[in-house]
Amino acid sequence: MKRGLRSLFILASCLVALQGQTGSALLPGVTLTQAKGANTLTAPLQIVVLMTLLTLLPAIIMSVTPFLRISVVLHFLRQALGTQSTPSNQVLVGLALFLTVLIMQPIATEMYTKGWEPLEKGDLTSKQAFDAGTQPLKVFLARFAREKDVRLLLEISHTTPPKKAADLDLSILIPAYILSELKTGFQIGAVLFLPFLIIDLVVASITLSIGMVQLPPVMLSAPFKILLFVLVDGWNLVIGSLVKSFYQV
């Protein structure tokens, strides 16, 4: 697990560190290299800029990894069960985070091997290392980004479509991936809602037909929904299907 957490941190920190070293579009006109004759920042300002970039780590982890889909589906599942705050947000976020580590570990390792190690050895420049290191991430994002969402963002940014999906810029791939994952998460959540909705309808019809109005139907149906979920081993089915969906595309 320690190795998995290290891999997930590498995935995010490689993007931030390499992005900072290339002086790219995140901070137009600003470079952190100490090239002769160039307008460079002082050491304190470099630290401030890097610390600011590090604040993007949570957003990177939540946006460009399977964390997005998993967390959306788990929150839909809790709402469908009608268990209010059980499991708690901390439990759901923790489960989504560790599943993300499991899925993204090979990609983070490949990014580290192709980008960060050659940069440390001096075999590649910072720009070459950034391009090589982000290539595995681009391949991953392109697998799950819908063509319709990519086309929309290309039209918005007035960018010429490349020949291959892997040649798309991260500024196009990342929002397209987020839009695609949100749609996929909502689709899975809607499917999860259906069996529990049927239970709610049946219980509501029975209670109204016998004139039981002392208790709300939702309260009466909650034990039946939980019992059904436990009997079919729901956590195993949901988590197994979610994780496998990232390997079967």
Side-chain angles (χ1 to χ4, degrees):
M1 186 57 67
K2 183 177 180 182
R3 181 183 176 186
L5 288 173
R6 177 175 175 270
S7 298
L8 184 59
F9 178 77
I10 288 170
L11 168 66
S13 61
C14 281
L15 286 175
V16 174
L18 291 175
Q19 189 81 357
Q21 291 192 22
T22 53
S24 55
L26 283 178
L27 294 171
V30 175
T31 177
L32 299 180
T33 57
Q34 297 294 332
K36 294 182 179 180
N39 295 325
T40 59
L41 296 176
T42 61
L45 283 179
Q46 290 185 27
I47 295 174
V48 171
V49 171
L50 288 177
M51 291 300 294
T52 303
L53 292 176
L54 286 175
T55 60
L56 298 175
L57 283 176
I60 292 173
I61 293 174
M62 289 186 288
S63 300
V64 301
T65 64
F67 182 91
L68 178 59
R69 181 192 302 186
I70 295 172
S71 61
V72 168
V73 172
L74 291 180
H75 281 81
F76 267 112
L77 176 61
R78 185 179 64 181
Q79 189 174 359
L81 285 170
T83 54
Q84 303 301 324
S85 59
T86 304
S88 64
N89 287 331
Q90 290 85 349
V91 173
L92 295 183
V93 171
L95 178 59
L97 179 61
F98 283 105
L99 291 176
T100 301
V101 170
L102 175 66
I103 298 170
M104 295 300 294
Q105 182 175 339
I107 299 172
T109 303
E110 187 179 358
M111 291 177 63
Y112 180 80
T113 303
K114 291 185 176 180
W116 194 260
E117 284 186 346
L119 179 64
E120 287 183 328
K121 295 177 182 178
D123 297 335
L124 297 176
T125 64
S126 57
K127 186 178 185 306
Q128 291 172 338
F130 179 78
D131 293 338
T134 55
Q135 196 62 31
L137 180 63
K138 287 183 178 182
V139 174
F140 172 80
L141 297 178
R143 286 173 57 197
F144 300 100
R146 296 186 306 157
E147 183 179 350
K148 183 178 181 180
D149 295 325
V150 173
R151 192 183 306 114
L152 171 64
L153 291 166
L154 287 173
E155 292 176 357
I156 292 175
S157 61
H158 303 288
T159 303
T160 304
K163 295 181 179 180
K164 297 186 298 182
D167 295 334
L168 286 167
D169 192 75
L170 285 176
S171 61
I172 300 295
L173 271 177
I174 290 177
Y177 172 82
I178 294 174
L179 291 176
S180 302
E181 288 296 281
L182 285 175
K183 180 178 180 179
T184 303
F186 273 68
Q187 288 175 336
I188 298 174
V191 173
L192 288 175
F193 251 101
L194 291 179
F196 302 110
L197 179 60
I198 293 174
I199 294 177
D200 284 333
L201 292 174
V202 171
V203 172
S205 300
I206 294 175
T207 54
L208 290 176
S209 63
I210 64 177
M212 184 184 294
V213 294
Q214 293 84 358
L215 292 175
V218 175
M219 184 177 295
L220 293 174
S221 63
F224 295 100
K225 292 190 289 186
I226 296 173
L227 181 61
L228 172 66
F229 190 71
V230 172
L231 288 176
V232 299
D233 199 6
W235 288 112
N236 185 281
L237 292 175
V238 173
I239 299 303
S241 299
L242 277 174
V243 174
K244 290 177 183 178
S245 66
F246 288 98
Y247 293 100
Q248 296 174 350
V249 176

